[in-house]
Amino acid sequence: MSIARIKGFADMFPPDSDIFTRMENTARDVFSRYGFVELRTPIVEFTELFQRSIGEETDVVQKEMYTFPDRKGRSLTLRPEATAGVMRAYIESGLANREPVSRLFTTGPMFRYERPQKGRMRQFHQINCECLGSHSPYADADLISMLLRFLDALGLKDLTLKVNSLGCAECRPKFKEALLAYLQTVDSAALCPDCARRVNTNPLRVLDCKQPGCRAITDAAPKLLDYNCPECRAHFDTVLDLLGAEKLAYELDHRLVRGLDYYCRTTFEVVSGSIGAQAAVAGGGRYDGLVKSLGGPDTPGVGFAAGMERLALMMGEAGANPADFYLVAMDAQSRTQGYALAQNLRGAGLRGEMNFSEGGFKSLMRQAGKSGARYCLIMGPDEAAQNTVVIKNLESGEQTAVPQSEALHFLQTGTN
Ligand code: HAM
């Protein structure tokens, strides 16, 4: 019996793998314009790193981590997100002492034991950015602006930016108290079982529960922004002013508390209107106490991660990167000429393949169509005798015969 892949884990063939490559290349291009450099961190870390950074009471740490002992009994975990590992590397490398501000991005697989569904995998991929070392609200706005520029460069539409401010260690406890007092006045039986538990463990998360019963209750709950201290409020107002000055549309969302414990002040998410229930394509925020809590210097930070599977759902086939040609050679002589032509075209930077084995015309044309290439180059005995090639536009069906020496020009310009 053959062995199947694990539920929630995917193999990725084209066009999906092409779309991922395009996404990563676009990210590198856009992020480098903002001074970001690439960091690659390990996929496995000590479990304690995630417990201490993401937070013991979060769903990720409580229920979603792939945790296992290594051969010496040390507890290791497949990373459920990138931020914790980036912080560890930042501290361990001593970067904080060398650079006033570090801008680091990373991409790769993350692992969460969630119920798989459209847009939700157990192995998924993030593009993750962290800006470390700046307290300024300009850093928050710059990062959000970069995220939106990246999404725009991917050609994505129908997106909403949601923002909120979680306050700081000074003002958030007061909000928490007010929220708790409010939640204790409501009938706990009206909350979903998860939220009934969260009231005591992590009351903020009750705010972003999607269950209608919980939402009805939290509609009238106290709002974080009303409890922001003057410094947090001024910070947030500057972020909003900067977004406004750039004409970046945003929605204030008082329910946006995020699922990881390290956030303070600005939080944000980008939500898609076209990919179903798992609509958050990116999320992030400020985390000023995180580096210090992991044993590093007192360094502020702000970052985000975008989910590549969800972005790919939005990009669809349009994000694929079709080959330029598929060359169909009908006999031995045209195969020899076609082989030379294909090598010339590749030498000039075009991408394409050809058939090496004999086959009926129809089945070879079917193969060309399946390859997804823009053009089919057809060569039979007549073309070989005259040093020509028939170029068929596989989208429009239009056919043109050109000298082989002009094929490159035709493929590059679409005309002879
Ligand atoms: P997060 O909101 O947990 O934040 O995840 C970021 C994005 O990863 C989500 O918006 C979503 O697109 C994608 N994602 C999460 N879980 C899954 C899944 N099971 N399947 C598919 N996609 C998923 C973080 O991870 C933070 N570390 C972001 C951050 C960086 N904050 C500061 N710096």
Side-chain angles (χ1 to χ4, degrees), residues 81 83 112 114 119 121 126 128 130 258 262-263 280-281 303 307:
E81 54 117 47
T83 308
R112 293 186 195 176
E114 295 187 84
M121 299 293 291
Q126 285 185 343
N128 183 87
E130 313 292 355
R258 310 274 302 133
Y262 45 64
Y263 292 112
V281 295

Side-chain angles (χ1 to χ4, degrees), residues 135-145 235 239 266 268 286 302:
H135 280 288
S136 168
Y138 276 76
D140 311 32
D142 195 44
L143 196 81
I144 295 173
S145 160
H235 182 101
V239 175
T266 317
F268 55 92
R286 184 162 272 285
V302 55

Side-chain angles (χ1 to χ4, degrees), residues 5-12 20 43 64 66 78-80 108-117 119-126 308-310:
R5 66 193 149 79
I6 306 168
K7 183 177 170 188
F9 289 62
D11 300 310
M12 211 181 291
F20 266 48
I43 284 169
E64 296 171 3
Y66 280 88
L78 297 184
R79 62 181 182 191
M110 311 291 153
F111 305 83
R112 293 186 195 176
Y113 196 87
E114 295 187 84
R115 196 170 46 78
Q117 63 180 88
R120 189 159 75 193
M121 299 293 291
R122 289 182 173 167
Q123 175 176 321
F124 61 99
H125 298 74
Q126 285 185 343
M308 294 178 72
E309 280 76 5
R310 295 186 191 173

